[in-house]
Amino acid sequence: MPFVFDFDHSHRRPPMELKDLLGGKGANLAEMTSVLRLPVPHGFTITTDACRAYMEGGWPEGLSGEVKRARVRLERKMGKHLGDPVDPLLVSVRSGAKFSMPGMMDTVLNLGLNDDSVQGLAKQTDDERFAYDSYRRFVSMYGRIVLDIPGEAFDTLLDEAKERSGSTTDADVPVGQLQALVFAYKQIIRDHTGADFPQHPDAQLQGAIEAVFGSWNGPRAIAYRDHEGISHDLGTAVNVQAMVFGNRDDRSGTGVGFTRDPATGAKGEYGDFLVNAQGEDVVAGIRNTEPLSALKEKFPKIHAELMAIFVRLERHYRDMCDTEFTIEQGKLWMLQTRVGKRTGRAALRMAVEMTTDPGIRLTRGEAVQRVTAEHLDQVLHPQFAGTGHAVLTKGLGASPGAAVGRVYLTADDAAAAAGRGEHVILVRTETSPEDVHGMLASEGILTARGGLVSHAAVVARGWGKPAVVGAEQVRITGRSFTVGATVVNEGDWISIDGTAGEVALGQVELVEAKASEEFETLLGWADVIRKGHLKVRANADNGPDAANGRRMGAEGIGLCRTEHMFIAEDRLPIVRRMILAKDTEAENAALEELRVAQRADFIEILKAMDGLPVTVRLLDPPLHEFLPDTGELAIKEATVGLTAEEQALFDAAKQWHEYNPMLGTRGVRLGVIKPGLYAMQVRALMEAAVERVADGGKPVIEIMIPLTVTREELALARSWVEAAVTATLASSPRATRRRLEVLIGTMIETPRAALRADEIAEVADFFSFGTNDLTQMTFGFSRDDVEGRMMSAYLEKGLLKHNPFETVDADGVGELVRLGVSRGRATRPTLKIGVCGEHGGDPASITIFADAGCDYVSCSPFRVPIARLSAAQVVLARAAQPASGAKKRAPARKAPVRKAVAKKRPPAPKAPVRKAAAKKRAPAAAKRAPSRKAPARAAAASKKRAAGGAKKRAAGGTRVASPRRVARSRAR
Ligand code: ADP
Ligand code: MG
Ligand code: MG
């Protein structure tokens, strides 16, 4: 296989399909040249094979010869020679991997110029200014990109030259200054490298090609691939292309154009251009660009030609394309095209509109595949309202959504300000575990350092808090920070957009997330596609959340956490009375009060989800979480003393204290110790159901026992539930009873439960994988300790590929899920199986759950649309490769127990399937950490509670619940 292909080489397949070999840029250049026959300057592509060979064993044998022959072919086509002192050919050397990768090597333009050929160029073009302008660009680019010399060295000199000559733009710098610049630039190169700037074009070319190869393993490129989940083995291609000159004169220029508006998705061209400029002048913001509409006035013929090309590109790629073009003395050249990046809003609009576009005619399935979870994430979070705000600085958008607040620069100050009721943005150079309380108290987080797996990024995503990280211009000193000359003091308002990575001064107006018509349309199509495959439910603990989940398209509630009903301020004293009860009578009295309160909650929830299944989980957290903090009470005891009530609570708290509460008396274990509790909850629920039926509703109830480990445990809990159901229904009319559906099942959230799923299924009507706890227990990671303290180090060092609390661990936890499904169904083929961990809203995890054979996923209402989309995309991906998908599911359901288990033990093939599916999505979205509304809300609620607690304390009461503890309870 050759290492080098000309753009006009006739490949057996359309070159646009050869991105693996030619890289994205090379593949599309070849497509435009050889298939579309657009005006593209000639050139050739050195393949990714060559790069891989280079990485393995240095400069590949035979490559020099191939490059040389390709160069000769190019020179022949152009009628010019590289380095010719009379009429030189110049080329660009452009990197281009399979996936577009910011952070890779830049492009070197004007290669082939040297002290002799620059004079030839000047004579040929009769334009000395142009020739030296090209040369100074080349020398500085070569220095910066190939020789790794910091760009400022060159930029400062250019700025000085401009000042000296009084020029406002690069194009006005007189030739004398340009010549002096070239001289000075060469001196910089000598100083930095100890060698002269290479004059020979062969040396220049080889240097540039090697630099592109080498840039594949540059730290920025590696970090980017890690984040995007792109393989490190792909390598990059190198494109060598004859130069065309937008900086030739005023009949020349360069620009970028989109075939539709990438921000809104609106039809019609969109883009910028600059007269008399080269390459990246347009994006560099050196001069003010003009919109493409201005092109129409200045170069009407070119504009018309470009528009015709746009139409062809869209029809050919069946998608919105972005392009780079250059005009050289009135002639249009196309330099690049690719399917363009777009905002979420634009992605939705374009996907829907292209189904009816006669030139494109997307199928609905294709439209659904065009939208990524990240796109939906964008439209589902509040964002800056318009483009009117001035961006102070930019960083990495690490956790989506926008936030507005006052600046605080330490975690303590942030927490204190939030305690006073202020909205806070915590600004830190970087964050560490000591900052967690301040992060929790903030609306959003801004850091000056750190990448997408930094502490701040990981923690913020875990909580669904907007965050911008790595805003490198931010310098913090004492009680203020600066960005250049701007000083922002503690208490000043700023706004951050964690989707776009933008930071702005003041209170930027936000737009609430709102669903467009296209959003509804596209998700409707997704629902049709996933019908009969994977259902999507919401995790909701109260009526409003349930209603919201339903609006978002949830097909039921997969997890209703009853403890949230207990933590409410009016309930907590009753719960405490129950815990403190000295005898059964007092305990029952308290339970009775709770029952009445819970019944009202359940009615609301069942009403909101009428006709759809509602999975109610009986009480899960350890009792001490409802008791005051022992540390605080101990201090109070030692100082001002305790009231009698406080003393009782203190004693109880000490009595219920556990060393490892996560592994302690919680879930069904609590039920075993306090059986009255579960009976009370079931009665409250069933009474609510009866009342709903009486009101003409259709409640569908699933009662779920948490943290089961053995069959016997579940059998016992089930017997209480059944007894309570029967007891409650005994007094209701038979018609009511007949209209009530009640299933009793369990969560599978311990490794043992997954392993013994066959036994457990004997007494369960359904399973729901609690993948948060299952992850904690499988890894032995306490989420609250690990996520803040060590997760970022693990991710940075590559010890983990993803945060397993964001994307389910496919090999370990995923294996337990697969095992649990197959063993459970071996016992009970009709077993209904869902997932209710936060992973249920994460696209990569959804693929794993769908492949395991789950019936539904359940996630926070906010993530429901993303889950609907992802579920449909899984179905579409499976249809594209029917064999692997079908094989995996079918046998699990039918085969008898042991055999099925033995045979089914799914071998490795999971991995490739997952990868294939992941590839389908835009890489950016694939690994994007989901935001979690639920924890955000829990955090917000906890903040409120903490504030309430503070008030109470002041009034001599006891603390309600510490944010820390509520934060802990979120993980279950
Ligand atoms: P990137 O991938 O960063 O966009 P490119 O290889 O596309 O890098 O090149 C950077 C800039 O240089 C673009 O504006 C491109 O249009 C311009 N450019 C690249 N090759 C040529 C060429 N042969 N003639 C003129 N301009 C070029
Ligand atoms: Mg480009
Ligand atoms: Mg749990």
Side-chain angles (χ1 to χ4, degrees):
M1 183 87 147
F3 281 138
V4 178
F5 292 99
D6 292 355
F7 293 167
D8 56 6
H9 180 89
S10 67
H11 294 273
R12 255 187 251 136
R13 280 165 48 204
M16 65 189 270
E17 291 171 16
L18 303 177
K19 293 201 179 84
D20 280 321
L21 183 71
L22 303 174
K25 202 179 283 170
N28 288 327
L29 281 166
E31 187 80 10
M32 284 199 292
T33 307
S34 61
V35 180
L36 290 163
R37 310 220 171 254
L38 298 180
V40 176
H42 286 295
F44 55 88
T45 301
I46 302 165
T47 65
T48 57
D49 284 343
C51 180
R52 282 189 296 267
Y54 176 86
M55 289 189 293
E56 264 161 42
W59 190 262
E61 210 189 297
L63 181 56
S64 295
E66 280 196 52
V67 169
K68 183 153 189 209
R69 285 192 292 281
R71 192 188 111 184
V72 170
R73 287 195 299 273
L74 180 61
E75 288 175 335
R76 206 174 298 135
K77 282 173 196 155
M78 302 302 296
K80 295 181 187 197
H81 297 272
L82 220 55
D84 186 341
V86 179
D87 186 11
L89 169 68
L90 306 189
V91 295
S92 61
V93 176
R94 319 173 65 186
S95 67
K98 175 175 183 183
F99 303 105
S100 129
M101 281 177 52
M104 281 279 296
M105 197 203 83
D106 297 312
T107 288
V108 180
L109 301 178
N110 308 335
L111 189 140
L113 280 175
N114 56 28
D115 293 350
D116 296 330
S117 62
V118 69
Q119 292 176 30
L121 185 64
K123 279 216 197 78
Q124 272 305 321
T125 58
D126 195 19
D127 191 343
E128 242 192 334
R129 187 212 65 84
F130 160 70
Y132 279 92
D133 184 52
S134 303
Y135 195 21
R136 66 98 192 155
R137 287 172 190 263
F138 172 48
V139 179
S140 66
M141 275 191 232
Y142 200 88
R144 182 167 55 80
I145 295 164
V146 179
L147 304 174
D148 244 348
I149 300 169
E152 294 98 72
F154 304 104
D155 296 344
T156 323
L157 288 183
L158 176 61
D159 289 342
E160 283 169 14
K162 276 207 270 191
E163 210 158 293
R164 224 174 299 129
S165 58
S167 343
T168 45
T169 75
D170 295 3
D172 305 336
V173 181
V175 66
Q177 296 280 358
L178 294 169
Q179 284 165 331
L181 273 180
V182 170
F183 186 82
Y185 283 0
K186 286 193 291 191
Q187 186 61 43
I188 292 177
I189 287 177
R190 208 171 299 126
D191 291 347
H192 267 86
T193 64
D196 282 332
F197 170 74
Q199 291 283 324
H200 200 287
D202 283 340
Q204 293 174 353
L205 191 54
Q206 163 119 10
I209 293 170
E210 281 204 69
V212 177
F213 286 165
S215 70
W216 176 258
N217 281 328
R220 280 187 308 162
I222 290 177
Y224 181 80
R225 290 196 297 271
D226 276 341
H227 178 252
E228 300 294 320
I230 298 172
S231 159
H232 294 301
D233 313 325
L234 297 175
T236 179
V238 187
N239 302 289
V240 178
Q241 185 175 29
M243 285 300 302
V244 289
F245 298 99
N247 58 332
R248 187 80 174 72
D249 53 25
D250 284 341
R251 289 168 50 227
S252 310
T254 184
V256 297
F258 292 81
T259 57
R260 301 184 189 212
D261 185 335
T264 64
K267 280 191 191 159
E269 81 274 17
Y270 178 94
D272 295 313
F273 87 106
L274 260 180
V275 175
N276 198 350
Q278 184 170 60
E280 298 199 308
D281 292 356
V282 182
V283 270
I286 298 171
R287 277 189 274 154
N288 287 335
T289 55
E290 298 181 78
L292 285 190
S293 52
L295 187 68
K296 194 171 183 174
E297 285 151 35
K298 289 197 175 146
F299 302 94
K301 263 181 60 192
I302 299 253
H303 182 266
E305 189 184 353
L306 191 64
M307 292 310 108
I309 288 174
F310 279 8
V311 170
R312 290 189 60 201
L313 284 174
E314 272 216 345
R315 295 193 166 191
H316 190 68
Y317 285 89
R318 302 179 68 233
D319 205 342
M320 182 267 273
C321 293
D322 82 20
T323 62
E324 290 173 5
F325 63 91
T326 281
I327 305 163
E328 184 183 60
Q329 300 196 300
K331 160 128 184 75
L332 176 67
W333 295 97
M334 298 305 295
L335 290 172
Q336 188 173 325
T337 195
R338 65 183 162 200
V339 168
K341 295 228 158 68
R342 60 205 68 189
T343 64
R345 194 173 141 209
L348 284 163
R349 176 162 176 189
M350 289 193 277
V352 170
E353 287 184 355
M354 283 179 188
T355 58
T356 50
D357 191 311
I360 298 176
R361 289 217 177 280
L362 281 194
T363 64
R364 290 180 174 184
E366 284 171 323
V368 165
Q369 278 169 310
R370 289 278 169 90
V371 176
T372 66
E374 193 184 34
H375 288 142
L376 291 190
D377 232 343
Q378 278 178 28
V379 298
L380 288 168
H381 282 88
Q383 299 203 281
F384 286 177
T387 45
H389 59 276
V391 175
L392 174 65
T393 188
K394 285 195 86 167
L396 301 168
S399 182
V404 178
R406 293 176 187 271
V407 169
Y408 285 92
L409 299 135
T410 70
D412 287 341
D413 292 342
R420 295 192 296 270
E422 287 182 37
H423 291 269
V424 172
I425 304 280
L426 177 64
V427 183
R428 302 281 293 155
T429 302
E430 50 199 341
T431 63
S432 72
E434 287 77 62
D435 296 323
V436 167
H437 63 294
M439 299 168 77
L440 186 61
S442 306
E443 306 295 320
I445 296 151
L446 166 64
T447 68
R449 270 198 243 130
L452 291 168
V453 297
S454 63
H455 180 267
V458 171
V459 172
R461 282 196 298 266
W463 287 340
K465 266 187 205 296
V468 174
V469 302
E472 286 170 357
Q473 292 179 307
V474 170
R475 298 259 183 291
I476 298 175
T477 34
R479 294 191 171 268
S480 60
F481 75 85
T482 57
V483 173
T486 309
V487 181
V488 183
N489 293 310
E490 180 184 278
D492 289 354
W493 287 94
I494 62 166
S495 307
I496 63 169
D497 184 334
T499 311
E502 291 178 351
V503 181
L505 287 177
Q507 295 170 264
V508 173
E509 191 193 333
L510 303 187
V511 279
E512 271 311 305
K514 63 166 192 291
S516 61
E517 201 180 305
E518 288 94 7
F519 177 94
E520 302 295 347
T521 306
L522 192 110
L523 282 164
W525 294 344
D527 291 343
V528 172
I529 290 166
R530 72 186 169 83
K531 192 157 190 216
H533 296 273
L534 198 64
K535 293 203 171 189
V536 176
R537 299 192 190 179
N539 295 346
D541 309 329
N542 54 49
D545 281 2
N548 188 30
R550 189 164 197 164
R551 259 196 309 280
M552 292 286 188
E555 299 161 287
I557 290 181
L559 176 63
C560 172
R561 286 165 291 201
T562 49
E563 61 266 26
H564 285 200
M565 304 171 183
F566 280 30
I567 293 173
E569 259 175 76
D570 52 333
R571 314 280 167 78
L572 199 62
I574 318 176
V575 175
R576 288 179 172 175
R577 234 177 292 140
M578 175 198 75
I579 299 171
L580 294 180
K582 297 231 164 50
D583 48 38
T584 342
E585 208 174 308
E587 185 175 309
N588 284 344
L591 283 173
E592 193 57 21
E593 262 187 86
L594 282 175
R595 181 178 61 79
V596 176
Q598 278 217 312
R599 183 174 56 193
D601 295 332
F602 286 136
I603 288 175
E604 245 191 276
I605 293 169
L606 292 175
K607 205 168 176 179
M609 279 288 169
D610 197 48
L612 296 173
V614 172
T615 307
V616 173
R617 178 179 69 183
L618 301 182
L619 198 67
D620 182 48
L623 279 190
H624 81 92
E625 287 203 2
F626 302 106
L627 292 167
D629 186 78
T630 48
E632 277 173 30
L633 286 175
I635 293 170
K636 200 166 177 214
E637 184 183 37
T639 52
V640 290
L642 298 178
T643 64
E645 193 204 336
E646 282 171 339
Q647 188 62 53
L649 282 169
F650 189 25
D651 292 342
K654 279 192 284 192
Q655 185 199 333
W656 284 99
H657 171 264
E658 293 189 302
Y659 292 98
N660 237 327
M662 206 180 62
L663 304 176
T665 315
R666 42 176 292 228
V668 64
R669 302 163 199 175
L670 193 63
V672 171
I673 294 183
K674 289 210 172 259
L677 194 63
Y678 278 6
M680 174 278 288
Q681 290 197 295
V682 173
R683 275 180 60 202
L685 175 61
M686 293 315 297
E687 284 168 8
V690 168
E691 192 169 325
R692 285 297 305 143
V693 173
D695 284 351
K698 187 171 183 337
V700 182
I701 288 172
E702 301 180 347
I703 298 173
M704 182 156 80
I705 313 293
L707 218 72
T708 304
V709 178
T710 73
R711 167 182 45 194
E712 288 68 25
E713 217 177 14
L714 183 61
L716 178 63
R718 185 181 179 106
S719 70
W720 304 322
V721 173
E722 282 174 345
V725 170
T726 316
T728 323
L729 294 187
S731 54
S732 55
R734 179 166 323 145
T736 306
R737 264 177 277 162
R738 235 184 286 121
R739 289 182 55 192
L740 270 176
E741 271 177 56
V742 184
L743 295 183
I744 303 168
T746 182
M747 291 187 83
I748 302 288
E749 48 189 338
T750 65
R752 190 182 194 282
L755 292 168
R756 308 306 293 162
D758 46 354
E759 294 174 359
I760 291 175
E762 289 170 15
V763 282
D765 303 328
F766 66 88
F767 282 175
S768 178
F769 285 92
T771 50
N772 298 333
D773 265 320
L774 191 57
T775 299
Q776 299 205 85
M777 302 218 190
T778 303
F779 279 84
F781 281 171
S782 150
R783 179 173 188 180
D784 300 290
D785 298 317
V786 157
E787 226 172 30
R789 215 179 294 275
M790 50 147 265
M791 188 59 72
S792 56
Y794 265 59
L795 295 173
E796 263 158 27
K797 292 193 166 59
L799 303 178
L800 289 172
K801 269 233 160 336
H802 326 275
N803 178 350
F805 294 105
E806 288 177 3
T807 293
V808 78
D809 157 47
D811 303 327
V813 178
E815 183 70 3
L816 283 171
V817 171
R818 290 187 286 271
L819 216 69
V821 171
S822 70
R823 291 188 179 179
R825 289 238 173 89
T827 299
R828 195 184 281 251
T830 57
L831 192 70
K832 195 185 228 185
I833 300 179
V835 171
C836 65
E838 288 161 28
H839 299 105
D842 170 67
S845 308
I846 289 172
T847 306
I848 292 165
F849 300 140
D851 285 345
C854 294
D855 298 306
Y856 69 88
V857 292
S858 187
C859 54
S860 64
F862 221 67
R863 302 284 302 175
V864 164
I866 290 171
R868 287 159 68 197
L869 176 76
S870 300
Q873 289 176 340
V874 170
V875 174
L876 291 167
R878 227 188 246 163
Q881 357 159 266
S884 53
K887 227 189 282 160
K888 225 163 291 140
R889 267 195 84 150
R893 297 215 174 202
K894 313 252 160 57
V897 189
R898 293 295 159 197
K899 245 208 267 160
V901 173
K903 262 205 222 133
K904 218 233 137 186
R905 274 250 140 86
K910 256 81 202 181
V913 172
R914 187 161 39 88
K915 248 192 241 148
K919 256 187 249 152
K920 277 254 134 76
R921 292 188 309 273
K927 301 298 166 307
R928 177 114 198 152
S931 90
R932 304 228 153 65
K933 199 56 185 182
R937 201 180 306 106
S942 79
K943 228 188 303 173
K944 261 186 237 141
R945 278 193 294 278
K951 258 182 254 142
K952 277 205 184 138
R953 231 173 9 260
T958 44
R959 197 184 161 97
V960 177
S962 77
R964 172 78 190 146
R965 269 184 295 155
V966 177
R968 212 184 289 144
S969 76
R970 85 196 142 88
R972 301 182 191 129

